[in-house]
Amino acid sequence: VQLQASGGGLVQAGGSLRLSCEPSGRTASNYNMAWFRQAPGKEREVVATLTWFNDETYYASSVKDRFTISRDNAKNTVFLQMNSLKPEDTAVYYCALSRSIILRQSDVMNWGNGTLVTVSS
């Protein structure tokens, strides 16, 4: 399974970006999906998760009310809409897929490539 993530870039503080993740060979709606991020010198952390059976979402407290995870079943793509970006959101963002609920790295079955998000102050 390959998870192709895209949409990263350089944005000013207060701006927005939308990340996309498309799993090849899998139907995203049949799996729990998540976005993680890893800032320089820090551990990879979960940012947002989306369950397959009822679209229940979870957000890290640092991004709650600013980020939104969603899925477009027709496009077999999962998105992370990031608004009101802050310099501390700067990180490499990874999408992830699993059959189990994703709470931590060890729950992940497949990782996508990373996409770099840089927020300037």
Side-chain angles (χ1 to χ4, degrees):
V1 177
Q2 287 190 329
L3 303 176
Q4 184 64 43
S6 61
L10 174 63
V11 64
Q12 288 190 330
S16 299
L17 281 174
R18 188 175 78 160
L19 306 182
S20 300
C21 175
E22 183 175 355
S24 62
R26 291 285 189 270
T27 301
S29 59
N30 294 339
Y31 292 86
N32 297 308
M33 303 294 296
W35 287 94
F36 286 72
R37 69 183 180 187
Q38 187 166 19
K42 295 188 177 181
E43 290 189 1
R44 193 173 299 187
E45 61 176 356
V46 63
V47 173
T49 66
L50 176 66
T51 62
W52 70 269
F53 58 93
N54 62 357
D55 286 344
E56 184 174 347
T57 57
Y58 160 83
Y59 297 95
S61 58
S62 57
V63 307
K64 195 174 177 61
D65 297 327
R66 298 189 298 122
F67 290 12
T68 302
I69 186 171
S70 63
R71 176 171 44 222
D72 185 326
N73 293 336
K75 296 181 179 179
N76 196 36
T77 301
V78 176
F79 300 100
L80 183 68
Q81 178 66 43
M82 305 185 295
N83 299 328
S84 302
L85 283 162
K86 305 175 181 180
E88 50 264 44
D89 294 319
T90 295
V92 178
Y93 284 71
Y94 300 88
C95 62
L97 173 153
S98 182
R99 290 196 180 277
S100 61
I101 299 295
I102 300 175
L103 299 175
R104 59 189 64 83
Q105 292 189 61
S106 58
D107 297 325
V108 175
M109 188 169 74
N110 294 101
W111 290 100
N113 59 300
T115 184
L116 177 62
V117 172
T118 304
V119 184
S120 62
S121 57

